């Protein structure tokens, strides 16, 4: 009976412990999980959902942020830029003085008043309303000695619309397809709520671990928090949509300014609040630097409208307020927007560290946005929580340098940009994806890092970028145009920054053409004698000062034991490094003695940078820093002529600066051709295919007169918009007679359609027609007319089959004339020109689209024409035609006519060109403004004089008889940096394991990755249930053990129960009675 009662008590205690366990499990979401997007838990634990367009019932939202963007010129308003900062009275006097000289009596003008904080301070521009402004009046303004530039005022519309996803809701780490809108002006770089973009690198099954709740903790900001660093004393500016005054997430909003024409400082969209929260939120979805001074610049209205002048005024005010860090989550492809670009340079020259999103136009290459593509700005790309490059993140290279040079490495760094949580518009948290999310992650990290440095004078745009890229963790299997220098590592950046000494460094810090895949595209093709020089564009970062120079000349030192004397090196560089940076272009070629040699050659270039010392007590008044650029290349014997293909880059033009339309007119949301038309940007897949087929592809960045045609089998011209020098036409005809072959992929050209796709010119204030069509067909016809060939002005599209391959013709032209002994293939296609002009549909039978021709001269080359380039262009390719390119190269390189074409049922007699007139150049076009060939002339533009071919000055080698380093990447470190000297506390117990939640996995077991010190831990009270739960588990375990013992003890106690009974019966034995057995 006693045993039963004891067991019942134990069981009752166990039941109570189990109930306590269940209660604590019910409370755990307050500890280990965040409130769902857009929801906030009130004291009664009743969820109240704020009006945000986000899902409130799952870890993933099924809403997508649809981005629409447009821009137009404000009628009669001009931005007049001055050569310096002047008072309002002085600016007015300069303008009136300049306009008096115009002698235009009908001219009416007035200065547009400014209603913003900058109106009380000197400025370097004025906004003026001018009625009936003639081009002569504007030119007169620019003639004034204190007026630098006159540009029209822009009005920008940005539409962020949350729409239901057309796809069913997917798990948080699933892959979804995404289509860029590719806006052609600056816009917010935010995508929709959280979904994952994976590259497929990690496809094997593996053990998954939970992540902490906030991106700041994932990047271990809590390590610095516990050391007492929380962003104190650092001024950070957010240029966006504003912030509510009483938002509960922010404690140190120093100033909110409104630069719009609305009378409010609050955020009516939520984007600016989210960005500010990632940087400086102090509770719930914690930011990196909650103690930083937050300066909110509202530059977009609730209708998502902004003006160029608003940005310029706001930038000037940021300089005046001595802002330290500035986040700009907008971007656009126009790196020739001079007022904007110049002002960014001025900002960074004033020690403002600008962090900007690299763009959401991935996975296409050559899609970098400005200002993130500038050398002085930290350009940020996005990754997901599995360290895959986000599909939306824009890829390099920069296209400023084309066609003659080569692009720089961008982005600078990547960090989390998919499904990141930040502050909701009024309260609570929400999730967003996009590089505009990754940008404030880095901006917050930069703010936090700056607060850890005792000597703030050491912190500048160059030193901060040097610390970030030197500490970045390289992602495996990803090239430098996708990840830059790698993934943000906050703790290593802290260690480097706190042992930093002013110095110069290089980006990239070495050139290894054998390292794959990081050094793609350089690693994809070895170099050989006779090939075009390989150009590597290196950025010099100067942490010693805003200005600098290269002392003497860079020195080339080949390693003799590593065959360094087998390569020649030429170096060109910026004469002045400003602001904080400059370029170092390294051209590499193979020496003649290595024409038949195969192997690896190494050497290095030594560069010394000097900057004026801020403290004149320094010796000589200058700081100097010498950096080494290691070079390693793979050399092979010169391949045969038939395997060498030359890509004509010189005759490709793109936006900016001119209006060059897309090759596919169906892409109405992406009207401009702005990706560079380079084999390493939007023709990357074609290049990779040709390399896989054994071809060696080189780039011609100079006129046709500047290459030795005897070295190449085929000249490849794709989507050419430029005109041709008469000397080029003559030389090409001679080269083809001597065995060079030519392949041309053309595109549409129709003057009526070009007039139809016009828009208002922002510079001339006139309707602006395209300067060419998809390609400059009249110029191509001049080039190939000597062989009796020509393209038409027809515009066609449609699906068809050729040689058992499915094909799609996207806004291509037809062949109008072809030699009678050539091979011509025709297909039935839709007349897209008729559809564009009259909205009518018609099918045209027998449209000639492909032509093959063997020139009659002895040993002459072959010519192939195709009317559409979209099938090899990554921009909007629907069905590739790489097989066709293979067949054409077999024909041009080896004179092997594909039977599938020569015996095709679609073969037709060559057209004679009598059916319709050949296309003529658009009357009044402005191609000469952007052309390298044409120049303005009375009447029609005329060709310029043929420029001299580029001549490289090869550096005189200074050989070294020593062994080169084996690992160039790890060998390169910032000078004067000793990570061992910067000791971190033992935070291992607080470091979180990182990965996204699995589909359907609860976040209830996510333990915080660290607690912010003191008053910053707004959820410290919520940790009490955790300790109570752990204590209850200990008690429950104790009772379970005791209950187990209770069940086993009766078996051992049986003898003890009988023994007392036996002893009590012993006296009976003395009476002669036997005990019972």
């Amino acid at each position: 009976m006693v045993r039963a009662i004891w067991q019942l008590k134990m069981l009752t205690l166990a039941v109570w412990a189990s109930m306590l366990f269940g209660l604590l499990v019910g409370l755990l979401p307050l500890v280990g999980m965040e409130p769902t997007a857009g929801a906030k838990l009130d004291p009664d634990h009743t969820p109240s959902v704020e009006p945000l367009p986000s899902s409130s019932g799952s870890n993933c939202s099924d809403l997508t942020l649809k981005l629409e963007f447009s821009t137009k010129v404000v009628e009669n308003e001009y931005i007049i830029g001055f050569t310096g900062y002047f008072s309002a009275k002085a600016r007015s006097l300069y303008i009136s003085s300049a306009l008096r000289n115009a002698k235009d009596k009908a001219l009416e003008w007035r200065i547009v008043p400014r209603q913003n904080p900058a109106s009380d301070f000197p400025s370097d521009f004025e906004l003026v309303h001018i009625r009936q402004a003639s081009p002569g009046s504007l030119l007169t303004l620019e003639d004034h000695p204190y007026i630098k530039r006159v540009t029209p005022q822009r009005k920008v519309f940005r539409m962020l619309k949350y729409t239901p996803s057309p796809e069913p809701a997917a798990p948080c780490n699933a892959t979804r397809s995404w289509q860029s809108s590719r806006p052609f002006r600056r816009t917010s770089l935010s995508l929709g709520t959280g979904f994952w973009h994976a590259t497929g690198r990690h496809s094997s099954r593996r053990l998954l671990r939970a992540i902490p709740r906030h991106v700041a903790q994932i990047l271990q900001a809590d390590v610095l928090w516990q050391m007492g660093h929380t962003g104190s004393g650092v001024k950070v500016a957010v240029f966006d949509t504003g912030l509510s005054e009483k938002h509960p997430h922010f404690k140190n909003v120093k100033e909110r300014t409104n630069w719009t024409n609305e009378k409010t400082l609050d955020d009516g969209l939520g984007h600016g609040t989210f960005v500010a929260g990632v940087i400086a939120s102090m509770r719930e979805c914690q930011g990196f630097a909650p103690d930083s001074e937050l300066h909110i610049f509202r530059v977009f209205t609730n209708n998502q409208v902004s003006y160029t002048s608003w940005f310029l005024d706001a930038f000037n005010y940021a300089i005046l307020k001595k802002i330290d860090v500035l986040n700009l989550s907008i971007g656009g492809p126009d790196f020739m927007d001079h007022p904007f670009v110049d002002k960014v340079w001025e900002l960074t020259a004033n020690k403002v560290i600008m962090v900007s999103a690299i763009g959401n136009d991935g996975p296409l290459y050559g899609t970098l946005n400005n200002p993130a593509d500038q050398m002085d700005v930290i350009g940020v790309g996005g990754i997901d929580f599995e360290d895959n490059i986000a599909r939306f993140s824009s890829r390099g290279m920069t296209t400023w340098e084309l066609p003659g040079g080569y692009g720089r490495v961008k982005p600078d760094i990547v960090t989390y940009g998919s499904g990141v949580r930040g502050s909701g518009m009024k309260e609570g948290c929400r999730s967003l994806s996009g590089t505009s999310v990754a940008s404030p992650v880095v901006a917050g990290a930069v703010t936090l890092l700056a607060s850890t440095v005792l000597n703030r004078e050491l912190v500048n745009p160059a030193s901060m970028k040097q610390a970030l890229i030197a500490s970045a963790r390289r992602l495996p299997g990803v090239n430098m145009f996708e990840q830059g220098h790698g993934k943000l590592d906050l703790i290593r950046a802290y260690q480097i920054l706190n042992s930093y000494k002013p110095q110069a460094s290089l980006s990239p810090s070495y050139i290894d053409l054998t390292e794959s895949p990081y050094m793609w595209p350089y690693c994809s093709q070895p170099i050989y004698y006779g090939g075009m020089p390989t150009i590597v564009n290196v950025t010099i970062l100067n942490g010693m000062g805003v200005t600098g120079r290269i002392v003497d000349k860079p020195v080339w030192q080949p390693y003799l034991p590593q065959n360094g004397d087998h390569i020649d090196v030429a170096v060109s560089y910026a004469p002045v490094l400003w602001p904080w940076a400059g370029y170092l272009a390294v051209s590499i070629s193979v020496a003649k003695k290595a024409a038949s040699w195969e192997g690896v050659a190494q050497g290095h270039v030594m560069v010394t940078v000097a900057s004026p010392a801020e403290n004149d007590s320094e010796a000589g008044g200058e700081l100097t820093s010498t950096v080494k650029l290691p070079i390693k290349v793979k050399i092979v014997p010169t391949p045969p002529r038939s395997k060498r293909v030359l890509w004509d880059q010189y005759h490709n033009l793109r936006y900016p600066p001119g209006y060059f339309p897309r090759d596919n007119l169906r892409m109405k949301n992406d009207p401009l051709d702005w990706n560079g038309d380079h084999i390493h940007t939007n023709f990357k897949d074609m290049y990779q295919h040709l390399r896989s087929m054994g071809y060696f592809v080189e780039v011609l960045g100079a006129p046709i007169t500047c290459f030795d045609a005897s070295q190449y089998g085929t000249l490849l011209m794709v989507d050419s918009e430029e005109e041709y020098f008469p000397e080029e036409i003559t030389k090409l005809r001679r080269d083809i007679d001597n065995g060079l072959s030519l392949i041309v992929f053309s595109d549409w050209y129709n003057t009526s359609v070009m007039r139809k796709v016009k828009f208002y010119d922002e510079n001339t204030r006139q309707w602006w027609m395209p300067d060419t069509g998809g390609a400059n067909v009249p110029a191509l016809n001049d080039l190939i007319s000597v062989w009796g060939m020509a393209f038409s002005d027809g515009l066609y599209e449609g699906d068809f089959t050729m040689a058992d391959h499915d094909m799609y013709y996207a806004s291509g032209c037809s062949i109008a004339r072809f030699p009678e002994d050539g091979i011509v293939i025709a297909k039935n296609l839709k007349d897209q020109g008729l559809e564009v002009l009259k909205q009518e549909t018609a099918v045209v039978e027998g449209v000639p689209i492909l032509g093959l021709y063997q020139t009659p001269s002895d040993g002459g080359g072959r010519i192939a024409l195709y009317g559409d380039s979209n099938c090899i262009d990554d921009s909007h390719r629907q069905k590739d035609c790489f097989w066709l390119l293979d067949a054409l190269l077999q024909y041009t390189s080896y004179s092997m006519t594909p039977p599938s074409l020569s015996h095709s049922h679609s073969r037709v007699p060559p057209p004679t060109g009598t059916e319709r007139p050949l296309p003529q150049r658009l009357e009044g076009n402005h191609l000469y403004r952007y052309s390298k060939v044409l120049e303005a002339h009375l009447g029609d533009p005329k060709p310029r004089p043929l420029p001299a071919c580029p001549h490289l000055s090869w550096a005189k080698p200074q050989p070294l008889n020593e062994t080169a380093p084996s690992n160039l990447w790890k060998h390169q470190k910032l000078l004067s940096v000793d990570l061992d000297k910067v000791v971190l506390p033992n935070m291992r117990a607080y470091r979180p394991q990182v990965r996204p939640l699995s589909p359907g996995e609860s976040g209830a077991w996510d333990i915080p990755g660290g607690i912010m010190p003191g008053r910053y831990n707004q959820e410290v009270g919520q940790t009490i249930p955790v300790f109570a739960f752990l204590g209850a588990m200990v008690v429950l375990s104790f009772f379970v053990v005791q209950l187990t013992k209770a069940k086993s003890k009766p078996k051992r106690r049986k003898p003890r129960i009988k023994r007392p009974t036996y002893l009590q019966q012993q006296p009976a034995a003395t009476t002669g009675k036997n005990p019972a057995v």
Side-chain angles (χ1 to χ4, degrees), residues 27 101 131 195 246 255 562 572 608 762 786 887 901 1009:
L27 291 175
N101 294 332
R131 293 190 61 186
F195 55 86
K246 297 182 180 180
E255 185 179 28
Q562 277 73 41
S572 61
T608 300
E762 299 184 357
V786 66
L901 299 179

Side-chain angles (χ1 to χ4, degrees), residues 282-322:
M282 60 179 292
R283 58 165 59 93
E284 292 186 275
C285 30
Q286 294 170 338
F288 285 83
D291 248 355
S292 60
E293 292 185 11
L294 199 57
H295 294 252
I296 302 300
F297 289 72
R298 189 173 186 268
V299 292
F300 273 97
T301 68
N302 288 335
N303 293 326
Q304 304 177 61
V305 175
S306 186
Y307 291 83
T308 301
S309 60
W310 293 355
F311 272 102
L312 299 183
D313 264 336
F315 284 150
N316 283 340
Y317 192 71
I319 295 173
L320 183 71
K321 287 293 182 178
K322 299 187 182 301

Side-chain angles (χ1 to χ4, degrees), residues 547-565:
T547 61
R549 63 184 178 87
I550 293 181
V551 179
D552 297 326
K553 292 183 178 180
V555 178
W556 163 238
Q557 296 182 308
Y559 293 111
L560 294 182
Q562 277 73 41
N563 309 296
D565 55 338

Side-chain angles (χ1 to χ4, degrees), residues 122-139:
S123 178
D124 62 343
F125 79 96
E126 193 68 88
L127 183 62
V128 179
H129 186 277
I130 305 177
R131 293 190 61 186
Q132 300 178 357
S134 64
S137 301
L138 299 180
L139 290 175

Side-chain angles (χ1 to χ4, degrees), residues 158 160 237-247 250 253 255-260 262 264-277 294-302 304-305 311 327 423-426 430:
R158 179 185 65 174
L160 307 177
V238 176
F239 278 58
D240 219 288
T241 57
L243 177 69
S244 299
E245 181 179 7
K246 297 182 180 180
H247 197 290
F250 305 96
V253 179
E255 185 179 28
R256 297 184 305 146
T257 53
N258 176 36
W259 305 89
T260 72
E262 293 181 339
T264 181
L265 294 166
D266 293 343
D267 183 4
L269 299 173
H271 189 268
T273 305
F274 181 94
V275 170
L294 199 57
H295 294 252
I296 302 300
F297 289 72
R298 189 173 186 268
V299 292
F300 273 97
T301 68
N302 288 335
Q304 304 177 61
V305 175
F311 272 102
N327 181 80
S423 299
M425 186 165 64
K426 297 297 183 183
R430 64 191 299 196

Side-chain angles (χ1 to χ4, degrees), residues 207-268:
L207 180 65
L208 301 178
R209 297 167 294 183
I211 59 168
R213 293 168 297 167
H214 310 302
V215 67
Q217 292 176 340
I218 295 174
L219 291 170
Q220 298 178 269
D222 51 317
V223 174
L224 301 184
W225 293 340
Q226 295 189 32
M227 295 172 64
H229 305 299
T230 55
S232 177
V234 180
K235 299 178 181 179
V236 57
V238 176
F239 278 58
D240 219 288
T241 57
L243 177 69
S244 299
E245 181 179 7
K246 297 182 180 180
H247 197 290
H249 287 186
F250 305 96
K251 65 163 299 232
N252 198 16
V253 179
K254 198 71 173 180
E255 185 179 28
R256 297 184 305 146
T257 53
N258 176 36
W259 305 89
T260 72
N261 54 13
E262 293 181 339
K263 304 300 182 182
T264 181
L265 294 166
D266 293 343
D267 183 4

Side-chain angles (χ1 to χ4, degrees), residues 537-864:
N537 199 340
V538 178
T539 298
I540 304 173
L541 296 174
N542 179 22
M544 298 179 292
V546 64
T547 61
R549 63 184 178 87
I550 293 181
V551 179
D552 297 326
K553 292 183 178 180
V555 178
W556 163 238
Q557 296 182 308
Y559 293 111
L560 294 182
Q562 277 73 41
N563 309 296
D565 55 338
H566 284 42
I567 56 177
D568 296 323
V569 171
V571 180
S572 61
Y573 50 88
V576 177
L577 309 181
W578 184 90
W580 308 104
Y583 71 88
L584 182 76
V586 181
S587 300
I588 307 170
S589 190
V590 177
K592 185 175 182 180
K593 66 179 179 180
S596 301
W597 182 78
E598 181 172 359
V600 175
Q602 288 185 254
H604 66 245
V605 173
M606 299 291 292
V607 182
T608 300
V609 177
S611 281
E614 293 185 5
N615 186 350
D616 291 336
S617 63
E618 297 283 346
E622 274 192 334
L623 297 175
T624 60
S625 177
T626 300
V627 289
K628 181 188 297 184
L629 179 69
I631 297 175
K632 183 179 181 181
V633 299
K634 173 67 182 300
I635 299 174
V636 297
T638 303
R641 179 183 187 184
S642 59
K643 283 291 185 181
R644 296 177 63 179
V645 177
L646 187 62
W647 173 272
D648 178 21
Q649 185 68 38
Y650 186 78
H651 295 93
N652 287 335
L653 300 176
R654 86 292 190 212
Y655 175 88
Y659 177 19
F660 298 101
R662 272 289 179 203
D663 306 324
N664 186 349
L665 290 177
R666 290 290 177 197
M667 300 297 118
K668 295 181 180 179
N669 62 342
D670 191 13
L672 296 176
D673 193 352
W674 63 282
N675 304 128
D677 285 347
H678 193 277
I679 59 172
H680 299 152
T681 58
N682 52 308
F683 288 93
K684 168 182 174 284
D685 290 349
M686 180 211 71
Y687 166 75
Q688 291 288 78
H689 177 80
L690 292 181
R691 287 295 301 131
S692 68
M693 299 302 294
Y695 292 99
F696 292 82
V697 188
E698 301 172 39
V699 176
L700 177 64
I704 293 175
T705 53
C706 296
F707 78 99
D708 181 3
S710 65
Q711 299 285 322
Y712 301 92
T714 303
L715 175 64
L716 185 55
M717 291 184 172
V718 179
D719 188 21
S720 301
E721 294 92 358
E722 181 64 280
E723 293 284 336
Y724 296 90
F725 291 103
E727 296 88 344
E728 291 183 290
I729 297 174
T730 302
K731 180 178 183 292
L732 182 62
R733 178 171 53 191
R734 185 171 62 250
D735 290 340
I736 290 180
D737 287 342
N738 292 327
L740 177 70
S741 293
L742 174 67
I743 297 177
V744 177
F745 281 80
S746 183
D747 271 298
W748 68 274
Y749 188 98
N750 184 288
T751 55
S752 298
V753 173
M754 290 162 66
R755 293 187 179 94
K756 186 76 173 180
V757 295
K758 65 183 179 180
F759 70 86
Y760 200 63
D761 178 14
E762 299 184 357
N763 295 310
T764 63
R765 302 182 60 79
Q766 299 173 356
W767 283 104
W768 200 13
M769 258 73 69
D771 297 304
T772 69
N776 191 343
V777 169
L780 285 172
N781 286 347
D782 290 345
L783 188 71
I784 60 178
S785 61
V786 66
W787 297 284
M789 302 177 183
F791 290 104
S792 77
D793 64 353
L795 204 165
Y796 305 96
E797 73 161 347
D799 294 288
F800 60 92
T801 301
M802 181 185 294
D804 297 328
H805 292 272
D806 292 333
M807 301 278 286
Y808 177 67
Y809 212 67
S811 304
C813 66
S814 64
I815 297 175
R817 190 168 63 203
F818 208 73
E820 60 181 9
D821 53 344
I823 299 172
V824 174
I825 304 298
K827 293 294 179 180
N828 299 337
L829 299 171
K830 289 188 291 185
D831 189 336
Q832 191 177 20
L834 184 66
E835 180 181 353
V836 171
L837 297 174
K838 298 183 178 180
Q839 291 74 50
E840 298 177 3
T841 303
V843 175
V844 181
E845 297 185 356
V847 179
I849 59 174
L850 174 65
L852 308 177
Y853 178 65
Q854 168 68 63
T855 57
S857 59
D858 186 23
R862 289 153 291 281
I863 301 175

